[in-house]
């Protein structure tokens, strides 16, 4: 195998009971009581590999009042879901600890009634882009798991993801896009990720009745890495917790606050 096709094995466990896991990534789904109201759910991800830590602010379109803030968000980190009234908001990202600086990027985002969305900043810093993905948090039932792929690795225009037995999870997933969800049997899956002359892999343990997103990112050595996030699980009633990834590091369950300071800062090339 050539140096350009280095394979990095990463072992990740995604469980329904986050409290029982040392490295859990959790963003849990709203139940029908919330879906019936005039509110929706939003989370934000920093997927730009050469953009340093940022402060994120979501403000109301009318009046500019800040709705919530995230401090010192680093590459590979995805916030928990935040419940918000329906409507349009302005999302701004600035260099960390520079509140008066010009935003690196500013975009409108819309919260739909009863819906959930993931808004990400991706690409290199000189060509920073945003994308909003609609999240399907409908759980697949006992014994099944649902997952999709968000392709944000700048070293590959398209990536393929398949199990080691040849089952395709995603084919030709283009940079900056999210695939459709695939339903698979719950349990352990060995995934191979290829694209752009690079290769990555992940051993993923999917709990039953869960929905997950696999974020494909650049690792510190130019290969592909996978950051998994549990979007929905059957164990709680509202979205809770967060992901501390550092672009390929471990994750931990955290409560949501208006200013999240506890993101892991270290970029780790391999899961331990």
């Amino acid at each position: 195998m050539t140096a350009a096709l280095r394979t990095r094995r990463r072992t990740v466990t995604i469980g329904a009971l986050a409290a029982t896991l040392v490295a859990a990534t959790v963003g849990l789904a709203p139940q029908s009581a919330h879906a019936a109201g005039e509110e929706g759910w939003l989370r934000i991800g920093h997927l730009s590999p050469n953009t340093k830590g940022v402060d994120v602010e979501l403000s109301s379109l009318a009046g500019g009042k800040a709705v919530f803030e995230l401090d010192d968000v680093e590459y590979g980190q995805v916030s928990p879901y935040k419940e918000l009234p329906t409507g349009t908001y302005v999302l701004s990202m600035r260099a960390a600890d520079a509140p008066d600086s010009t935003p690196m990027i500013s975009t409108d985002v819309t919260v739909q009634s009863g819906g959930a969305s993931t808004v990400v900043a991706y690409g290199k810093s000189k060509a920073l882009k945003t994308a909003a993905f609609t999240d399907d948090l409908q759980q697949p039932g006992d014994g099944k798991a649902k997952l999709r792929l968000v392709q944000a690795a700048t070293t590959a225009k398209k990536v393929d993801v398949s199990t080691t037995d040849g089952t395709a999870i995603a084919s030709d997933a283009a940079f900056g896009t999210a695939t459709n969800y695939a339903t698979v049997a719950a349990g352990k899956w060995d995934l191979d990720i290829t694209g752009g002359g690079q290769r990555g892999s992940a051993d993923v343990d999917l709990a039953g009745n869960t929905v997950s997103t696999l974020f494909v990112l650049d690792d510190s050595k130019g290969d592909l890495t996978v950051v998994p996030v549990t979007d929905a699980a059957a164990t709680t009633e509202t979205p809770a917790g967060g992901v501390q990834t550092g672009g390929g590091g471990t994750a931990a369950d955290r409560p949501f606050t208006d200013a999240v300071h506890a993101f892991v800062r270290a970029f780790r090339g391999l899961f331990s």
Side-chain angles (χ1 to χ4, degrees), residues 172-213:
D172 289 335
F175 176 61
T177 67
T179 67
N180 294 327
Y181 289 86
T183 299
V184 299
K188 295 182 178 180
W189 289 89
D190 295 334
L191 302 180
D192 290 329
I193 303 97
T194 58
Q198 309 301 319
R199 184 181 294 272
S201 61
D203 297 334
V204 182
D205 193 353
L206 299 173
N209 203 24
T210 59
V211 182
S212 302
T213 296

Side-chain angles (χ1 to χ4, degrees), residues 45-56 75 91-95 102-107 120-131 152 154 175:
H46 175 356
L47 309 182
S48 173
N50 67 336
T51 299
K52 295 183 178 180
V54 298
D55 292 341
V56 179
Y75 179 52
L91 173 68
S92 300
M93 291 187 178
R94 292 179 172 84
T102 301
M104 298 176 180
I105 200 163
S106 182
T107 188
V120 300
Y122 70 99
K124 294 296 183 68
S125 58
K126 291 185 178 181
L128 199 59
K129 301 177 181 179
T130 60
T154 63
F175 176 61

Side-chain angles (χ1 to χ4, degrees), residues 23-92:
T25 52
V26 182
L28 302 178
Q31 298 296 303
S32 58
H34 297 285
E38 294 301 316
E39 295 175 325
W41 302 87
L42 184 72
R43 66 180 178 181
I44 298 164
H46 175 356
L47 309 182
S48 173
N50 67 336
T51 299
K52 295 183 178 180
V54 298
D55 292 341
V56 179
E57 180 181 275
L58 191 73
S59 57
S60 58
L61 188 62
K65 181 180 178 180
V67 176
F68 74 89
E69 298 174 341
L70 302 170
D71 292 348
D72 297 329
V73 184
E74 295 191 358
Y75 179 52
Q77 295 176 335
V78 180
S79 80
Y81 283 105
K82 175 69 173 178
E83 185 179 23
L84 296 166
T86 58
T88 302
Y89 299 85
V90 178
L91 173 68
S92 300

Side-chain angles (χ1 to χ4, degrees), residues 240-253:
V243 54
Q244 324 292 317
T245 64
T250 58
D253 180 34

